[in-house]
Amino acid sequence: MGSNSSSMNNIPNAEQLVQETGFSAAHILRLYERFQFLDKDDTGQLRPEDFGAVRELAMNPIGDRIISAFFSPGQETLDFASFVRVLAHFRPADSNRTRDGAQPEPANSSMRKLKFAFQLYDQDRDGKISRAELLQVLRAMLGMQVTEEQLQSIAERAIQEADFDQDDAISFDEFRKSLEKVNIDHKMSIRFLS
Amino acid sequence: MEDLWGVAVGVFQVWMFVVVFLIMLPAMFGLSLGVTGVYIQILVHILEWATLRIQRGRQEQPDVPVPLPNGIIERAGGSMEEEVGQLSGGEFALSDAFYFYMKGVESIVDDQVTQRFSSEELASWNLLTRTNQNFRYISLRLTIIWGIGVFVRYCVLFPLRITLAIIGLSWLVIGTVLVGFLPESSAKNWLSELVHLTCYRICARGLSATIHYHNRENKPQKGGICVANHTTPIDVVILANDGCYAMVGQIHGGLMGVIQRSMVRSCPHVWFERSEMKDRHAVTSRLRAHVAAKTKLPILIFPEGTCINNTSVMMFKKGSFEIGGTIYPVTIKYDARFGDAFWNSGKYNMVSYLLRMMTSWAIVVNVWYLPPMTIQDDEDAAQFANRVKSAIAHQGGLLDLAWDGGLKRGKVKESYKEEQQKKYSSIIAGHNGL
C-alpha cells in the first residue's frame, strides 16, 4: 500500500474492463494497485515467480496449480487485463441479471465458475479429468500424510461415483452432475468490499 | 551587523529559556503544563472537520475509491472443517479442492501477512502528506490548513523536538557515566533510576509523545519479565517513561553503541555480542540468571521479534517464555490519527524514521498494564506464549494472528504446507477405511 494517487487514466483499457468483468471502477483501481505490488520489477507483466511474494499462497497445498490457472497454456507472462479477467470468475453472481440470448455469459456465472474449477483438475485441457490428473490433485492436497494405496483407493472411489460412461475419466458434464448439490456460487465467490 | 547578532543572541536566549523551563524541567519531574493537552484537543477538532469535509467531497466525486483499512475483500467462509467433507459425510469430494482454491485466490487478491508490514491505511486523512494515499484535492480550505500544518510541523515543532532529543540523549550518556563511578549501593540504584527516568521523559517530549498509562497497579516488578507488542524502537522510550527496565539486545556500533555502553555502567542491562545472539542457550541462561536475582530490574522483551504495524499481534517467539519467572504483559497502542509510528525497516532507515516521527502532529499512545501471568503446569512454552499474546491483543483491540513475524524477511517453511495437508487428511481419512 504505498502508491499514491493512481488514477483510472494509468490503467490500460480500464473502461472496457469495467464493462467486461462487472468490477466497479474502484475495484479495478484496487486490483491495479495489487497488480503493481506483485509486479516488483515494474514491467507491467507478472510471471509465476512474482506470486511468490504472497506468503499465504506458498502455504497452500495447491498453490502452484492456482498460480498456473492465471496463465493461459503456453504463456509465461500475465498482463493486468488477463489478471482481472481471471479474478472476474470469482465475483459473486449478479442476482438481478436478465439475460437475453445475445449477451455473452458473464464470467461469474455458475457455469463459468464450474468450467474454471474443472480446469484446475484438467491440466492438459483435453476436456476430461483422467485418473492420473485426479491422483495429482489428491497427492498435492494430502502430501505425505497418506500412503500410495490409500490415495489410489480414494481416487478409485471418486471416479466410480462420478464416471457414468465408464471411460475411466470424468468429463465436464459428469463433473457438473456430481456437483449439482453444491452451491457453486457460495463456494467459488470472493466478496469484494466497496 | 552588530544589531543582527544581538537579535540572534536574544532569540536564542528566549528559545533556550522556553525549552529548558517550560518543557525540560517539568518533563523531568513528570509534570505537565497542560499545553500538550490543549494542543491535542485543537488537533482533534481540526481533524474531525477535515474528515467531514473529505466525506462531503467524496460524495461529489464518486469515482474515487474509498480507503479500506481492512483490506479489499471480506474473508467470509468457515474453517476447513466446515467447508470440506460436509456433503459427502467426511469423504473426499471433487468440491474439496474448491476450498483450497478459494483460499489461494483470496490471498492473491489481498493477503493478511503483507498487510501487516506496511503502514495502516487510515479511514480518513490526517493532513500529513505521507499518509495521502487516495485523497485528492477536495477544497481550498483543506489545502490551506494542510499548508499551515506543514509550516507548523517543520518550522516550529521540529526544531523544538530536535533540541529536546539532543539534550535528552546527551544527558543520558553523561548522567549514566557519572553514576557509574559510584560504588554499588542503594543510593546508586536510586540515582541511576532518576537519571534514566528524566532523560527518557525528555526524549519522549522530544518525540512529542503523549502517553496514557492504564492499570498502573499491574506495573512490572523487579525480577519479572515484561513483554509487549512491538511497533517501533520508540516503544522502549514509551515504556521506560514510567519505570526502569533492563533492556535486552545486541550491541551496536556507533552512537547506539556509545549509549548502550554508558547505560550499562549504572544499571545492569543485558547486552549481547552479535555472536552470542545465535546461541540460544547462552542467551536463555544469561536472562535466567538476571531474573533469578530478584533485586534486578524487570527485563523488557518484545517476543514478536520484529516491528508490526500496530493493527495486529503476530506470533510470539517462545524463547522469552522459557526463562521462567513472572510475565507482565503490556499492550501498546498508538493513535494513528496523529502520526504513524510504525517503523517499516525495509523502507526507511533509522534517521529518516526519527525525522518522520518528529514532524508528525504528535505521538499519542495508550499503554495498558495487564495482570501478571505465569506458566501453568499443563501447558508448554508455546501455548503459554499464545495465551499471553491473546491477552495483549484483546486489550488493545488488535487482531490476534498466528503468522510469524519472521515471514517479513524469510521464505515460507515447508512445514506450514504440511500442516494444511495434515489437517485435510485427518478430515477425510477417517471415513475411507484408512
Side-chain angles (χ1 to χ4, degrees):
Chain A
M1 312 269 160
S3 63
N4 38 15
S5 327
S6 52
S7 73
M8 296 295 285
N9 302 327
N10 300 345
I11 306 175
N13 309 323
E15 281 299 320
Q16 193 192 345
L17 280 174
V18 171
Q19 291 287 0
E20 219 184 288
T21 60
F23 281 124
S24 70
H27 287 155
I28 298 274
L29 200 53
R30 286 278 164 189
L31 289 173
Y32 191 61
E33 282 174 8
R34 183 69 177 165
F35 184 84
Q36 283 181 321
F37 166 75
L38 292 170
D39 180 17
K40 293 273 192 283
D41 45 9
D42 227 5
T43 54
Q45 307 270 349
L46 288 183
R47 280 161 294 120
E49 305 87 74
D50 290 327
F51 285 91
V54 182
R55 301 302 198 301
E56 286 172 54
L57 200 57
M59 298 180 197
N60 194 310
I62 53 172
D64 297 323
R65 283 183 176 251
I66 298 177
I67 295 176
S68 52
F70 279 82
F71 295 83
S72 306
Q75 276 210 316
E76 294 189 359
T77 56
L78 183 71
D79 63 3
F80 178 62
S82 318
F83 180 67
V84 175
R85 286 193 194 111
V86 168
L87 288 176
H89 287 108
F90 294 94
R91 273 186 56 235
D94 307 308
S95 45
N96 51 353
R97 198 173 47 81
T98 50
R99 202 152 61 94
D100 55 42
Q103 262 186 3
E105 181 137 12
N108 61 338
S109 69
S110 290
M111 188 62 76
R112 292 282 298 270
K113 284 185 203 281
L114 262 177
K115 268 226 173 81
F116 201 67
F118 186 75
Q119 281 172 353
L120 188 75
Y121 285 97
D122 181 22
Q123 291 277 295
D124 60 7
R125 315 280 168 123
D126 64 353
K128 290 185 187 300
I129 304 176
S130 67
R131 183 185 292 265
E133 286 171 330
L134 185 59
L135 278 170
Q136 272 177 4
V137 177
L138 280 170
R139 181 53 88 190
M141 292 200 291
L142 291 165
M144 291 292 121
Q145 306 301 321
V146 297
T147 65
E148 189 62 33
E149 294 96 45
Q150 289 165 339
L151 210 66
Q152 292 283 354
S153 79
I154 297 177
E156 181 63 42
R157 229 206 79 247
I159 290 189
Q160 273 182 4
E161 284 200 355
D163 186 18
F164 295 122
D165 60 4
Q166 305 286 336
D167 60 351
D168 211 35
I170 306 178
S171 70
F172 179 65
D173 282 323
E174 289 165 347
F175 185 71
R176 193 168 45 88
K177 199 117 207 318
S178 70
L179 291 175
E180 58 188 1
K181 294 213 192 73
V182 174
N183 183 346
I184 297 294
D185 189 48
H186 171 77
K187 281 204 179 272
M188 292 272 290
S189 288
I190 302 181
R191 198 170 317 274
F192 285 85
L193 295 171
S194 56
Chain B
M1 221 15 234
E2 284 270 317
D3 295 335
L4 214 57
W5 184 243
V7 167
V9 169
V11 166
F12 184 66
Q13 280 178 338
V14 170
W15 176 260
M16 286 311 292
F17 179 82
V18 165
V19 167
V20 172
F21 285 100
L22 293 184
I23 301 181
M24 206 178 91
L25 281 181
M28 279 167 62
F29 296 106
L31 300 170
S32 162
L33 288 177
V35 175
T36 324
V38 172
Y39 169 64
I40 299 279
Q41 296 275 30
I42 298 179
L43 259 187
V44 169
H45 282 305
I46 296 182
L47 290 179
E48 278 174 359
W49 173 83
T51 312
L52 289 173
R53 192 67 194 77
I54 292 176
Q55 278 176 353
R56 235 181 36 214
R58 192 170 288 131
Q59 282 164 358
E60 296 156 13
Q61 298 175 24
D63 258 350
V64 173
V66 177
L68 297 167
N70 293 320
I72 61 177
I73 55 176
E74 182 189 315
R75 279 165 187 262
S79 60
M80 201 194 283
E81 290 83 4
E82 291 168 30
E83 297 282 338
V84 160
Q86 263 201 335
L87 284 180
S88 40
E91 296 180 332
F92 169 71
L94 288 166
S95 55
D96 286 351
F98 292 4
Y99 169 80
F100 290 110
Y101 206 359
M102 287 311 299
K103 285 277 173 266
V105 177
E106 269 177 5
S107 63
I108 289 179
V109 175
D110 198 8
D111 76 286
Q112 290 217 322
V113 177
T114 336
Q115 238 186 35
R116 310 295 155 190
F117 297 127
S118 62
S119 296
E120 190 183 351
E121 197 171 322
L122 292 174
S124 76
W125 190 29
N126 62 353
L127 295 177
L128 294 173
T129 332
R130 60 194 69 128
T131 49
N132 180 10
Q133 286 169 356
N134 292 308
F135 301 99
R136 291 170 180 70
Y137 176 82
I138 304 260
S139 86
L140 183 63
R141 256 193 289 178
L142 205 59
T143 319
I144 290 181
I145 298 248
W146 169 79
I148 296 179
V150 169
F151 174 72
V152 166
R153 281 184 291 122
Y154 279 85
C155 302
V156 174
L157 295 176
F158 179 57
L160 208 61
R161 291 170 185 171
I162 281 265
T163 324
L164 284 170
I166 295 178
I167 294 179
L169 280 178
S170 9
W171 175 230
L172 177 65
V173 173
I174 297 173
T176 47
V177 165
L178 285 177
V179 173
F181 284 130
L182 294 175
E184 284 293 330
S185 67
S186 58
K188 177 180 181 186
N189 292 336
W190 179 80
L191 261 181
S192 130
E193 276 187 38
L194 189 67
V195 168
H196 275 107
L197 266 180
T198 50
C199 79
Y200 277 124
R201 287 195 178 129
I202 300 176
C203 285
R205 281 278 193 273
L207 293 165
S208 68
T210 310
I211 315 172
H212 301 289
Y213 296 99
H214 305 268
N215 307 333
R216 296 180 74 183
E217 65 271 9
N218 291 327
K219 238 172 78 165
Q221 308 289 329
K222 291 197 166 54
I225 303 177
C226 175
V227 303
N229 58 319
H230 200 31
T231 308
T232 146
I234 297 182
D235 285 340
V236 169
V237 175
I238 303 284
L239 285 180
N241 251 351
D242 196 37
C244 278
Y245 297 93
M247 317 275 170
V248 178
Q250 233 179 40
I251 292 240
H252 291 98
L255 182 62
M256 273 299 291
V258 170
I259 298 178
Q260 283 176 321
R261 269 179 269 268
S262 62
M263 276 167 75
V264 85
R265 275 183 221 264
S266 63
C267 84
H269 299 290
V270 187
W271 301 126
F272 291 101
E273 300 292 333
R274 179 154 240 151
S275 47
E276 277 181 290
M277 289 292 283
K278 308 270 173 139
D279 183 358
R280 271 192 57 194
H281 284 292
V283 172
T284 322
S285 57
R286 252 181 91 176
L287 290 174
R288 220 175 247 148
H290 184 111
V291 168
K294 295 246 176 253
T295 53
K296 296 208 176 149
L297 296 170
I299 304 181
L300 179 57
I301 295 187
F302 296 105
E304 280 164 315
T306 184
C307 293
I308 315 290
N309 75 349
N310 209 229
T311 56
S312 63
V313 182
M314 289 209 173
M315 191 177 96
F316 275 8
K317 303 217 183 324
K318 62 177 165 65
S320 337
F321 299 88
E322 290 171 334
I323 304 173
T326 327
I327 303 276
Y328 296 89
V330 178
T331 308
I332 307 176
K333 180 87 178 97
Y334 290 87
D335 191 335
R337 285 179 298 171
F338 300 101
D340 170 31
F342 168 57
W343 181 33
N344 192 339
S345 53
K347 222 168 155 190
Y348 304 104
N349 61 12
M350 178 61 99
V351 177
S352 48
Y353 169 71
L354 285 175
L355 250 49
R356 279 162 58 94
M357 283 302 101
M358 292 190 191
T359 53
S360 319
W361 292 117
I363 314 256
V364 178
V365 125
N366 282 306
V367 176
W368 286 275
Y369 293 108
L370 283 85
M373 294 176 158
T374 39
I375 190 167
Q376 309 286 329
D377 291 324
D378 56 345
E379 61 183 0
D380 63 6
Q383 290 166 330
F384 181 42
N386 277 333
R387 193 159 62 91
V388 175
K389 172 161 76 81
S390 300
I392 292 183
H394 183 71
Q395 175 65 66
L398 304 164
L399 235 74
D400 185 2
L401 293 181
W403 299 107
D404 183 352
L407 287 177
K408 188 198 224 170
R409 278 177 258 274
K411 292 200 85 68
V412 174
K413 292 194 274 231
E414 271 299 305
S415 52
Y416 287 112
K417 203 191 263 195
E418 270 178 36
E419 267 178 51
Q420 295 277 306
Q421 289 166 335
K422 261 196 204 133
K423 221 169 148 188
Y424 179 58
S425 70
S426 66
I427 295 174
I428 67 161
H431 296 256
N432 274 312
L434 299 175

